[in-house]
Amino acid sequence: DTGVSQDPRHKITKRGQNVTFRCDPISEHNRLYWYRQTLGQGPEFLTYFQNEAQLEKSRLLSDRFSAERPKGSFSTLEIQRTEQGDSAMYLCASSLGETATNEKLFFGSGTQLSVL
Amino acid sequence: GEDVEQSLFLSVREGDSSVINCTYTDSSSTYLYWYKQEPGAGLQLLTYIFSNMDMKQDQRLTVLLNKKDKHLSLRIADTQTGDSAIYFCAEMDDDSWGKLQFGAGTQVVVTP
């Protein structure tokens, strides 16, 4: 069990550029989540996948954000036309996704995005 | 909407017990979690409790839940310098499993 891995760890970009992050969940986990964490705050839910299906998106996820999980394994989160307000830590988490009583989320180390 | 509140800072001496408090507003919260975050790292799940429980103990960690007052606490016995981190309380209800509502975190500083 190698845990949830995210790449890159840090990304610095200029306003207006597109960025893409990758998340590899724990191998047997069916659910994959994206959260965003800004300085001094707790993580906020963005979206989640059950296998390859994206089942819910938060209203925090504007049209500039898109997430995919094409084969039900790794996921990518793309932000188009980045804005300074997008600067945050983007956290990925995964879980077994079998029952609510067993729903323990395991988080990766995150991708820290800085938009200049 | 749901709200989870925590005190921002706690200073404790090495060897003492730490108590981190959390209050939540969602009466349908079914599952409550404590996560630990060290600098530059992701969140580590420490422990969790179901709303039909009052207490859960796991080695140095004790979780107490007062459902009537919607109050959750995490006690760390014999606090060590390695316990210095930010601790997040989070809640989840049955209708939105996997969508955790986090507090802003409590910064715990352990002094020798």
Side-chain angles (χ1 to χ4, degrees):
Chain A
D1 178 1
T2 57
V4 178
S5 62
Q6 293 188 245
D7 183 68
R9 289 296 308 274
H10 301 92
K11 178 70 177 178
I12 299 173
T13 191
K14 291 184 179 178
R15 191 175 51 192
Q17 299 294 304
N18 299 344
V19 294
T20 301
F21 312 138
R22 177 182 169 119
C23 171
D24 287 89
I26 295 171
S27 58
E28 67 269 24
H29 283 185
N30 297 315
R31 282 200 170 196
L32 186 147
Y33 301 84
W34 286 99
Y35 280 75
R36 182 174 71 185
Q37 184 180 20
T38 53
L39 197 62
Q41 299 298 317
E44 295 173 293
F45 169 80
L46 292 178
T47 188
Y48 84 92
F49 293 84
Q50 176 80 33
N51 300 312
E52 65 273 12
Q54 188 174 14
L55 295 185
E56 190 165 347
K57 293 193 283 189
S58 160
R59 59 180 179 274
L60 293 176
L61 215 64
S62 76
D63 292 344
R64 296 184 297 105
F65 288 69
S66 62
E68 293 182 345
R69 194 183 183 198
K71 296 181 181 178
S73 56
F74 74 91
S75 176
T76 57
L77 178 67
E78 181 184 16
I79 309 174
Q80 296 182 325
R81 304 181 303 281
T82 52
E83 302 173 356
Q84 287 182 326
D86 297 332
S87 295
M89 172 82 86
Y90 289 84
L91 292 163
C92 177
S94 70
S95 69
L96 284 170
E98 293 173 338
T99 64
T101 55
N102 200 30
E103 191 65 352
K104 290 175 279 189
L105 272 65
F106 296 88
F107 283 82
S109 298
T111 294
Q112 181 67 55
L113 173 66
S114 298
V115 181
L116 305 178
Chain B
E2 301 87 357
D3 201 11
V4 179
E5 293 191 353
Q6 304 177 235
S7 52
L8 292 181
F9 185 80
L10 176 67
S11 178
V12 62
R13 288 204 296 191
E14 192 174 10
D16 289 350
S17 291
S18 313
V19 179
I20 308 166
N21 294 302
C22 170
T23 57
Y24 58 97
T25 58
D26 186 359
S27 57
S28 63
S29 294
T30 308
Y31 312 100
L32 297 130
Y33 304 83
W34 284 104
Y35 281 85
K36 175 184 179 183
Q37 187 176 38
E38 296 180 83
L43 280 74
Q44 175 193 352
L45 177 62
L46 289 178
T47 187
Y48 61 96
I49 190 168
F50 300 143
S51 61
N52 61 357
M53 300 166 66
D54 298 324
M55 186 183 90
K56 181 178 180 181
Q57 187 155 2
D58 184 0
Q59 299 183 330
R60 292 192 297 123
L61 305 178
T62 302
V63 180
L64 294 177
L65 175 61
N66 181 328
K67 196 176 177 185
K68 174 176 167 288
D69 294 338
K70 300 191 186 73
H71 182 266
L72 182 74
S73 67
L74 175 68
R75 179 177 178 269
I76 306 173
D78 186 25
T79 311
Q80 303 297 307
T81 54
D83 295 324
S84 292
I86 301 176
Y87 290 80
F88 291 95
C89 167
E91 63 88 17
M92 183 182 81
D93 61 54
D94 262 340
D95 294 334
S96 54
W97 52 292
K99 289 166 55 182
L100 301 181
Q101 184 76 23
F102 283 86
T106 299
Q107 172 88 55
V108 173
V109 174
V110 182
T111 57

